[in-house]
Amino acid sequence: MWRCSGLRRLTGRCANHKVWRWRSSKACERALQYKVGEKIHGFTINQVTPIPELFLTAVKLSHDNTGARYLHLAREDKNNLFSVQFRTTPMDSTGVPHILEHTVLCGSQKYPCRDPFFKMLNRSLSTFMNAFTASDYTLYPFSTQNPKDFQNLLSVYLDAAFFPCLRELDFWQEGWRLEHEDPADPQTPLIFKGIVFNEMKGAFTDNERIFSQHLQNRLLPDHTYSVISGGDPLCIPDLTWEQLKQFHATHYHPSNARFFTYGNFQLEKHLKQIDEETLSKFQKIEPSTIVPAQKPWDKPREYQITCGPDSLATDSSKQTTVSVSFLLPGITNTFEAFTLNLLSSLLIGGPNSPFYKALIESGLGTGFSPDVGYNGYTREAYFSVGLQGIAEKDIQTVRNIIDRTIDEVIEKGFEDDRIEALLHKTEIQMKHQSTSFGLTLTSYIASCWNHDGDPVELLKLGNQMAQFRQHLKESPVFLQEKIKQYFKNNQHKLTLSMKPDDKYYEKQTQMETEKLQQKVNSLSRKDKERIYEKGLELRTQQSKTQDASCLPALKVSDIERTIPFTELDVTLAAGEIPVQYCAQPTNGMVYFRAFSSLNTLPEELKLYVPLFCSVLTKLGCGILNYREQAQQIELKTGGMTVSPHVLPDDSHLDTYEQGVLFSSLCLDRNLPDMMHLWSEIFNNPCFEEEEHFKVLVKMSAQELSNGIPDSGHLYAAIRASRTLTPAGDLQETFNGMDQVRLMKRIAEMTDIKPVLRKLPRIKKHLLNCDNMRCSVNATPQQMSETEKVVERFIKNLGRSKKERKTVRPHVIEKPAYNGSSGSTYVNGSQIIRKLITDPTFKPCQMKTHFLLPFPVNYVGECVRTVAYTDPDHASLKILARLMTAKFLHTEIREKGGAYGGGAKLSRDGVFTFYSYRDPNSIETLHSFGKAVDWAKSGKFTQQDIDEAKLSVFSAVDAPVAPSDKGMDHFLYGLSDEMKQAHREQLFAVSHDKLTDVSNKYLGIGKCTHGLAVLGPENAKIAKDPSWIIR
């Protein structure tokens, strides 16, 4: 997987990574026993450092023979992670590090079968497996909770990275190749194919990515950052197999590697395995992969670029993007990087920041330019700020505003409260527990460590915060001085503008055609014969049944038979509102959620619910205007979010719950303040701020539109399932292309008042406690105080003056299971869910093609099957995984060249086939049909079924954070007993059950199907009257 902008930092604006601290610290105590200078399995311990704020102990080592660096973070967390990272510094845009990242995972000396990486997904209980190519490093991480699994995966990853086969046919499949359109027919034209080739064509349909990539290339033009590490589709065909092997030889050596482990497994075992299986076979070299410092400019520079038009915008005159960027110091100066990251958040974070006020609220554009803020993933960091969605004539105006804003900040500085709010945010990030903390940490330290910075210093956030406070105390103008130094007086300044070109994709296709012609014209007859033969050979290889017996595997017997049960208490607050309490080790944090029903809301307002949710906490409330509200939310909470939900019933496909979820978190000391904010939002929300509402609408519409290239397969699936269940139409309304288009329309209205006036009408139906339930996760010690505060909040809530009728007449009252009705772990009252059903609903087939100017497709086909508690649901879940691993992966990715594809079963009983960044569309739909025929024929073994079960259970048993425990019961009414029954159904899935459900549900004419494609014009679809073209 290619990451065009590296990885985000832990603090400040981009801090969506979450930190997990537990009380127990056996792992930390064990690590503290190590002594500096101690030798273990060929490694020497260089440093042992406790980092109490993250509740971990860091152990730094180096390998004696090869100089390989190693960092172990010991922490009482059973989700253990390994990663190995290489500094990869390409000097051209052929995508060599990215294609190499794909190809090393296609077979190695010890595991020579094809594609061990994808095969291990089904032979393991991993909680994460992937690989990433950044601008200047390649990272291979995995995580698992099972010690045997850890050893298995470590063996496969080490062999892949250090001893790959790098076969020519794998390079052809993963990178690029010339091949006949139909490999079996040499009369069909030769075309470019390859997984990375298509992935990158898809990546550059995203205008934000085009802009970010050019920004980095132009601002850091001297060395590796001037090229595209993921590969430019026009340069990828220049890469040869020889060059790929050479790049591996020079970059994938232990002397150029950094090893990382995290969790509570024993360090000695990791060191022994890594040394024996890999490092003992190498000697030290001096890798020449260092990135030199970028030479600073003596005067600012400007560039203009073009991109594809925004297909959803009606106003084509306002699609220009401009930004001003400044080169900053090297990222290995930990404190300077911490300071500049915080400074960036102060400058651009939220409605109180100077650039938000000056740029976003100017009304000139639709949102900040891509890559806004501090970017610390290259050797020297940079800061960027600008606007997208502007008129070309306003470029200079935006530049002037940026210069003026810098001057104003130097003069006025920042309010103390804003700085406090930011430090409070960092404190919450250190306390909030996530389930993938190891992955967060390896990503967080990757760039700094890659350039020989100290990863341990980087993790000492407490020290950095203390140092920051000290500097502010000593010099009140500390931050203004930094702005003067790095922005005002910085000549290394780039102004980049991008405007749409209606012929952009046409020109790209033209250049690709010319490249292809050039390649084909240079071929001799012998070359062409070889291409034809190799194409057949690759197709034969891809179609062969693979012997994966060389790979290690867990067995189904390694899966826990039972799940741990979670204790829950449900009480009635204010005598009527159910509140679920779940005591968890939340580390001094309180998590509050409320769910409010939409049953009484008139149908014509439903479309506007997502917009209502996105602006509700951003327009002000009570006596607070929107700026003051934003400040209070930052000072007192870790965030307050509102989102629409369509929740399926566990036993009936035509029944669902519709509502809105309110979520928030805070430090326990701030709970009264957070609940007071919720009271004000519920009782006295402000819907008067028309200008700010316009700004929020524009930003939201732009974000939705920008998200399509990354989420096209999800939009296709939502549309394809729209007519299969009564909930499908509402899903499309809330989360589908209909919503994207509605937001674009609203954003372009000259008079937005009619939409703003709908919000108070929605509020009347939603922001009261008529149909509401709440949940709280906190530590046992916090519970009694928390109960009082939540009770007070509920008592203060409004009630409807008159009984509101539900809009849909068929409402079913359904209790969530508790002590009296099937769960011994839920105590107290019942949560009654009011579900909607439609006894007259008839599913029907619908085929939709959304025309988008992309060179790749996103394809979805959905089938209506059965609900969660039906035993067939478990069989279909295993079948989806089996079809993906044993059939669809080969057909859609390996043969078809799509970046991804497969099948999945949702909790709502909709079975989905999908493909992602796919050069094909109709052919992919045929592959879905062939997959069904394959499943019905039963051409799979017991081993295949066991592997599918392992893969399904790795998702079912994924770790759940303390903040999320009990959520299945709260939202879906699922008790642990029901989940255990479903677990037993999964264990019981057999060959007969799989062929039975394939025949019963998936065949043509069995159940209703829906189809959707997002992508370019298609002659076959255009001629077929059964398709609706949008």
Side-chain angles (χ1 to χ4, degrees):
M1 180 195 288
W2 174 64
R3 290 188 161 179
C4 100
S5 305
L7 298 135
R8 296 298 192 192
R9 299 184 72 76
L10 192 64
T11 53
R13 174 185 66 93
C14 304
N16 47 10
H17 294 314
K18 299 160 184 178
V19 180
W20 186 349
R21 193 205 299 193
W22 276 10
R23 294 179 179 285
S24 168
S25 58
K26 278 184 225 152
C28 293
E29 285 158 19
R30 214 169 43 231
L32 286 168
Q33 307 306 309
Y34 295 121
K35 299 283 177 280
V36 172
E38 192 179 334
K39 294 197 177 290
I40 314 171
H41 301 299
F43 287 86
T44 300
I45 291 181
N46 302 327
Q47 188 184 340
V48 179
T49 311
I51 303 179
E53 58 265 46
L54 301 182
F55 228 74
L56 56 81
T57 300
V59 183
K60 230 197 228 180
L61 309 95
S62 55
H63 189 253
D64 301 338
N65 268 358
T66 62
R69 297 159 217 215
Y70 194 115
L71 179 65
H72 176 67
L73 299 181
R75 199 155 187 267
E76 205 46 51
D77 182 350
K78 62 180 198 265
N79 193 20
N80 286 253
L81 179 127
F82 163 85
S83 73
V84 61
Q85 159 186 343
F86 302 98
R87 185 157 58 204
T88 45
T89 48
M91 295 309 291
D92 59 40
S93 293
T94 57
V96 58
H98 185 193
I99 293 170
L100 182 60
E101 172 229 303
H102 279 241
T103 315
V104 300
L105 299 173
C106 288
S108 60
Q109 283 178 22
K110 203 193 289 187
Y111 307 113
C113 62
R114 288 188 70 250
D115 229 349
F117 175 79
F118 278 97
K119 289 183 174 61
M120 283 306 290
L121 286 170
N122 306 302
R123 300 167 76 88
S124 144
L125 288 170
S126 69
T127 51
F128 184 84
M129 276 176 73
N130 214 329
F132 304 109
T133 303
S135 298
D136 53 10
Y137 66 83
T138 307
L139 181 75
Y140 295 88
F142 72 76
S143 60
T144 178
Q145 303 175 86
N146 181 302
K148 183 178 165 193
D149 199 25
F150 193 97
Q151 289 179 331
N152 291 350
L153 289 166
L154 181 55
S155 186
V156 171
Y157 264 63
L158 289 173
D159 211 57
F162 292 97
F163 310 108
C165 296
L166 299 183
R167 292 171 286 233
E168 187 176 24
L169 283 180
D170 292 332
F171 166 59
W172 279 32
Q173 172 185 289
E174 298 297 319
W176 77 277
R177 64 188 181 275
L178 280 174
E179 191 176 83
H180 290 284
E181 211 165 74
D182 174 359
D185 180 1
Q187 298 310 307
T188 55
L190 285 169
I191 56 169
F192 286 134
K193 294 185 184 178
I195 291 168
V196 169
F197 179 76
N198 285 317
E199 179 191 347
M200 296 312 292
K201 275 177 77 170
F204 288 121
T205 56
D206 179 346
N207 288 343
E208 290 200 302
R209 256 198 204 171
I210 294 172
F211 192 85
S212 301
Q213 185 64 59
H214 276 279
L215 174 57
Q216 180 183 295
N217 296 159
R218 310 279 186 169
L219 190 67
L220 296 156
D222 288 2
H223 198 259
T224 191
Y225 304 124
S226 64
V227 305
I228 302 171
S229 64
D232 178 339
L234 295 171
C235 302
I236 288 171
D238 294 332
L239 182 67
T240 67
W241 179 41
E242 291 305 326
Q243 287 167 335
L244 182 89
K245 291 188 288 185
Q246 183 56 33
F247 195 86
H248 181 270
T250 52
H251 291 77
Y252 279 47
H253 188 283
S255 304
N256 190 43
R258 287 147 182 82
F259 292 88
F260 174 91
T261 48
Y262 160 89
N264 64 358
F265 293 166
Q266 282 197 345
L267 172 61
E268 287 91 332
K269 282 188 178 168
H270 303 335
L271 298 178
K272 184 173 192 284
Q273 188 177 349
I274 291 168
D275 181 59
E276 285 176 4
E277 293 187 16
T278 304
L279 299 188
S280 58
K281 297 166 187 171
F282 289 90
Q283 288 302 316
K284 187 171 184 175
I285 61 162
E286 288 301 327
S288 54
T289 56
I290 286 176
V291 180
Q294 166 66 46
K295 192 167 171 269
W297 300 341
D298 50 15
K299 63 172 194 281
R301 298 181 186 178
E302 292 177 29
Y303 289 100
Q304 290 85 35
I305 58 169
T306 59
C307 63
D310 177 349
S311 54
L312 295 167
T314 51
D315 186 356
S316 56
S317 67
K318 293 191 83 173
Q319 289 186 42
T320 297
T321 299
V322 65
S323 79
V324 177
S325 308
F326 302 88
L327 190 69
L328 300 177
I331 56 173
T332 56
N333 180 339
T334 308
F335 179 65
E336 197 72 350
F338 179 85
T339 302
L340 289 167
N341 203 1
L342 285 185
L343 182 56
S344 162
S345 296
L346 288 167
L347 288 169
I348 55 135
N352 290 300
S353 64
F355 279 121
Y356 187 102
K357 289 176 184 172
L359 287 173
I360 300 292
E361 294 185 350
S362 68
L364 292 170
T366 53
F368 280 127
S369 52
D371 254 5
V372 65
Y374 178 83
N375 299 276
Y377 41 74
T378 45
R379 187 186 187 278
E380 286 104 345
Y382 53 92
F383 174 87
S384 183
V385 67
L387 276 179
Q388 58 182 317
I390 68 167
E392 196 181 348
K393 66 177 174 56
D394 289 329
I395 289 176
Q396 190 54 48
T397 310
V398 172
R399 294 173 66 175
N400 294 344
I401 291 172
I402 291 170
D403 289 343
R404 192 168 68 239
T405 307
I406 288 170
D407 288 339
E408 281 170 12
V409 176
I410 291 170
E411 190 189 324
K412 293 177 187 165
F414 301 99
E415 293 160 29
D416 291 348
D417 255 8
R418 291 212 53 234
I419 296 170
E420 271 317 307
L422 208 54
L423 294 172
H424 165 256
K425 197 173 178 181
T426 310
E427 185 184 352
I428 282 191
Q429 281 153 5
M430 291 192 289
K431 289 197 166 197
H432 177 71
Q433 304 178 32
S434 88
T435 53
S436 55
F437 188 42
L439 183 64
T440 298
L441 289 177
T442 194
S443 305
Y444 177 54
I445 64 171
S447 289
C448 177
W449 200 15
N450 191 49
H451 297 288
D452 306 327
D454 185 344
V456 177
E457 282 305 308
L458 192 63
L459 294 172
K460 292 182 183 170
L461 293 172
N463 279 10
Q464 291 164 38
M465 280 173 76
Q467 211 180 328
F468 183 78
R469 284 187 186 281
Q470 188 58 35
H471 275 284
L472 275 181
K473 201 173 159 188
E474 289 168 7
S475 166
V477 292
F478 171 60
L479 291 172
Q480 283 120 293
E481 289 299 327
K482 295 287 175 204
I483 291 174
K484 210 180 281 180
Q485 180 185 354
Y486 293 124
F487 300 156
K488 177 75 174 166
N489 303 329
N490 188 347
Q491 290 302 301
H492 200 115
K493 172 180 174 182
L494 171 76
T495 303
L496 180 68
S497 60
M498 175 174 80
K499 63 175 186 179
D501 176 355
D502 289 340
K503 296 202 162 45
Y504 180 81
Y505 291 114
E506 231 175 88
K507 288 175 186 171
Q508 293 294 112
T509 307
Q510 179 60 34
M511 286 190 282
E512 190 187 312
T513 307
E514 284 167 14
K515 185 91 181 174
L516 179 65
Q517 263 334 106
Q518 184 193 331
K519 288 274 176 199
V520 172
N521 291 345
S522 68
L523 298 172
S524 65
R525 209 165 92 212
K526 213 168 195 169
D527 292 334
K528 287 180 181 170
E529 281 166 15
R530 183 172 175 269
I531 283 170
Y532 172 60
E533 283 157 17
K534 279 282 186 188
L536 291 179
E537 192 186 335
L538 178 59
R539 195 48 63 113
T540 308
Q541 284 271 21
Q542 290 167 336
S543 304
K544 239 194 244 166
T545 305
Q546 291 294 311
D547 176 14
S549 56
C550 62
L551 287 169
L554 293 183
K555 299 184 175 68
V556 172
S557 57
D558 290 317
I559 301 168
E560 295 286 343
R561 297 299 301 188
T562 57
I563 55 168
F565 281 38
T566 303
E567 288 271 353
L568 302 170
D569 291 291
V570 179
T571 63
L572 289 179
E576 56 181 327
I577 305 298
V579 184
Q580 173 183 294
Y581 290 96
C582 181
Q584 288 291 322
T586 59
N587 201 28
M589 301 287 297
V590 180
Y591 298 86
F592 170 80
R593 296 173 177 93
F595 188 85
S596 186
S597 168
L598 284 168
N599 287 356
T600 66
L601 186 73
E603 289 294 325
E604 74 272 12
L605 293 176
K606 289 264 173 79
L607 257 179
Y608 300 94
V609 169
L611 174 59
F612 177 87
C613 292
S614 77
V615 303
L616 180 61
T617 57
K618 298 173 189 150
L619 286 172
C621 61
I623 58 165
L624 303 175
N625 65 31
Y626 70 90
R627 292 196 207 282
E628 293 160 342
Q629 181 187 30
Q631 186 85 314
Q632 284 305 303
I633 288 174
E634 285 211 335
L635 268 172
K636 301 299 183 185
T637 81
M640 302 175 79
T641 59
V642 188
S643 53
H645 280 257
V646 183
L647 305 175
D649 181 36
D650 54 62
S651 48
H652 297 286
L653 289 188
D654 294 337
T655 305
Y656 62 95
E657 187 178 19
Q658 51 177 356
V660 164
L661 181 68
F662 304 84
S663 309
S664 59
L665 64 154
C666 67
L667 301 168
D668 54 5
R669 66 173 187 256
N670 291 328
L671 181 64
D673 292 321
M674 180 171 85
M675 296 317 294
H676 176 68
L677 277 167
W678 275 128
S679 288
E680 292 292 88
I681 287 166
F682 269 71
N683 292 333
N684 307 301
C686 171
F687 299 120
E688 277 81 59
E689 283 277 1
E690 188 185 335
E691 283 309 306
H692 192 55
F693 178 60
K694 255 187 209 165
V695 166
L696 294 173
V697 165
K698 279 186 184 175
M699 287 173 82
S700 180
Q702 189 70 54
E703 275 168 30
L704 283 172
S705 176
N706 290 347
I708 293 172
D710 270 343
S711 310
H713 59 309
L714 302 177
Y715 283 114
I718 289 169
R719 171 54 64 135
S721 64
R722 178 183 185 173
T723 53
L724 303 184
T725 64
D729 198 43
L730 194 56
Q731 285 283 19
E732 172 70 36
T733 299
F734 285 171
N735 304 310
M737 288 297 288
D738 279 0
Q739 183 62 217
V740 180
R741 291 185 156 172
L742 172 80
M743 286 304 295
K744 272 292 191 187
R745 275 203 309 277
I746 296 173
E748 284 157 1
M749 285 179 171
T750 42
D751 180 11
I752 210 163
K753 280 192 201 71
V755 177
L756 188 56
R757 281 200 288 267
K758 294 180 194 298
L759 303 190
R761 291 175 60 203
I762 296 173
K763 181 251 176 200
K764 277 182 196 162
H765 292 270
L766 198 58
L767 302 186
N768 55 57
C769 54
D770 295 348
N771 290 303
M772 185 174 164
R773 58 182 183 269
C774 302
S775 91
V776 174
N777 286 28
T779 63
Q781 303 88 302
Q782 293 161 325
M783 275 308 177
S784 66
E785 186 52 37
T786 302
E787 280 192 46
K788 285 180 207 156
V789 178
V790 171
E791 175 92 19
R792 194 159 62 238
F793 160 72
I794 288 167
K795 277 185 176 155
N796 285 337
L797 281 191
R799 309 281 189 279
S800 286
K801 304 274 192 298
K802 56 179 192 290
E803 176 73 20
R804 291 186 188 279
K805 293 256 187 319
T806 57
V807 175
R808 303 238 168 158
H810 300 283
V811 174
I812 297 169
E813 294 203 351
K814 185 168 182 175
Y817 298 87
N818 73 358
S820 57
S821 60
S823 179
T824 48
Y825 290 83
V826 183
N827 311 308
S829 308
Q830 281 191 332
I831 290 178
I832 308 285
R833 300 166 69 224
K834 291 189 175 178
L835 308 176
I836 299 286
T837 187
D838 185 350
T840 62
F841 179 78
K842 291 272 186 297
C844 63
Q845 186 184 66
M846 190 167 163
K847 298 160 143 184
T848 312
H849 183 198
F850 283 102
L851 284 179
L852 293 171
F854 299 161
V856 288
N857 296 281
Y858 303 86
V859 185
E861 178 171 357
C862 293
V863 189
R864 176 187 162 100
T865 64
V866 287
Y868 179 82
T869 50
D870 190 307
D872 283 352
H873 189 95
S875 301
L876 286 160
K877 203 175 204 172
I878 303 287
L879 181 67
R881 190 58 232 164
L882 184 69
M883 290 168 99
T884 300
K886 298 296 167 188
F887 191 87
L888 291 166
H889 175 76
T890 302
E891 292 295 314
I892 292 170
R893 184 178 162 106
E894 293 183 349
K895 292 183 186 176
Y899 183 48
K904 61 184 180 190
L905 178 69
S906 310
R907 189 179 264 169
D908 61 4
V910 172
F911 192 99
T912 302
F913 298 96
Y914 66 92
S915 75
Y916 182 70
R917 291 189 183 158
D918 188 346
N920 309 303
S921 53
I922 298 292
E923 299 81 350
T924 297
L925 290 168
H926 290 323
S927 294
F928 295 160
K930 285 194 277 186
V932 173
D933 294 339
W934 173 84
K936 282 158 59 177
S937 72
K939 288 181 188 160
F940 42 85
T941 64
Q942 187 55 45
Q943 170 74 18
D944 296 337
I945 298 168
D946 287 352
E947 287 182 8
K949 284 185 182 179
L950 276 166
S951 182
V952 166
F953 273 107
S954 74
V956 168
D957 292 341
V960 179
S963 54
D964 294 330
K965 287 273 168 86
M967 278 300 106
D968 281 343
H969 179 265
F970 176 68
L971 288 175
Y972 301 96
L974 289 184
S975 66
D976 284 340
E977 280 86 353
M978 291 167 75
K979 289 199 274 189
Q980 182 60 36
H982 180 66
R983 187 179 195 82
E984 279 150 26
Q985 289 166 355
L986 289 169
F987 276 121
V989 170
S990 62
H991 195 284
D992 287 351
K993 286 181 178 171
L994 290 165
T995 51
D996 179 46
V997 293
S998 306
N999 282 297
K1000 193 168 163 186
Y1001 301 105
L1002 301 184
I1004 301 234
K1006 296 293 181 187
C1007 287
T1008 313
H1009 291 234
L1011 288 78
V1013 174
L1014 272 71
E1017 286 185 19
N1018 183 301
K1020 285 181 187 165
I1021 290 178
K1023 279 183 206 151
D1024 183 342
S1026 66
W1027 283 85
I1028 295 164
I1029 314 284
R1030 294 289 301 272

